């Protein structure tokens, strides 16, 4: 059902945890499946220097959270904002159709964290 990459990111997720004093935080949830994702960013000079996640959900939700943090780390905010749910799924060598909504959550949580950072900068 799941690809080897999905299983690898589920059993050995990268960047799990919280960042104290984050530059931005994004949280999304899907009430239908119960998945909740929270992404924390540390931004310096417009670059994502550190990124962590906390996810409550299925294996696909954890794997997509892990993958999106790997994809965003070290990127500029503009580059990270371009990460799509489709790109996350492709980097995991695909997700079962009934789990595609999980990749949507990961990309959405990243975008919300970037939005939060930008709002804080505008104050």
């Amino acid at each position: 059902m799941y690809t080897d990459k999905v299983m690898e990111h589920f059993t050995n997720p990268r960047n799990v945890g919280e960042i104290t004093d984050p530059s931005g935080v994004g949280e999304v949830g899907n009430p239908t499946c119960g998945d909740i994702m929270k992404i924390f960013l540390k931004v310096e000079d417009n670059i994502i220097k550190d990124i962590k996640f906390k996810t409550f959900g299925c294996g696909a939700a954890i794997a997509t959270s892990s993958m999106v943090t790997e994809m965003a780390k070290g990127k500029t905010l503009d580059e990270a904002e371009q990460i799509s749910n489709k790109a996350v799924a492709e980097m995991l060598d695909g997700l079962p159709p009934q789990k595609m909504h999980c990749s949507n959550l990961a990309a959405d949580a990243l975008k919300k964290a970037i939005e939060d950072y930008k709002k804080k900068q505008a104050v």
Side-chain angles (χ1 to χ4, degrees):
M1 179 168 157
Y2 289 121
T3 66
D4 289 344
K5 270 195 184 171
V6 170
M7 290 308 295
E8 170 59 23
H9 276 268
F10 168 61
T11 56
N12 298 299
R14 282 64 151 182
N15 306 305
V16 176
E18 249 178 87
I19 295 175
T20 51
D21 193 28
S23 306
V25 179
E27 184 171 2
V28 296
N30 183 325
T32 307
C33 64
D35 293 339
I36 299 168
M37 294 179 185
K38 197 169 193 178
I39 289 186
F40 304 84
L41 300 177
K42 183 59 88 177
V43 179
E44 293 173 22
D45 299 323
N46 205 41
I47 305 235
I48 297 173
K49 293 290 186 182
D50 197 9
I51 182 168
K52 302 263 187 227
F53 78 90
K54 288 178 105 176
T55 293
F56 176 83
C58 66
I62 292 165
T64 57
S65 298
S66 174
M67 180 55 80
V68 84
T69 62
E70 287 285 283
M71 292 169 74
K73 196 176 216 174
K75 296 234 183 339
T76 67
L77 293 173
D78 289 342
E79 290 169 336
E81 277 184 312
Q82 300 308 309
I83 296 171
S84 68
N85 48 32
K86 186 175 182 238
V88 175
E90 286 172 358
M91 288 296 288
L92 288 167
D93 295 334
L95 288 168
Q98 68 271 27
K99 294 295 181 179
M100 278 303 290
H101 65 273
C102 299
S103 67
N104 294 359
L105 285 181
D108 290 348
L110 173 61
K111 286 176 178 60
K112 282 200 175 215
I114 293 169
E115 276 175 34
D116 183 51
Y117 168 75
K118 288 181 174 180
K119 273 187 209 159
K120 289 176 179 173
Q121 298 308 301
V123 175

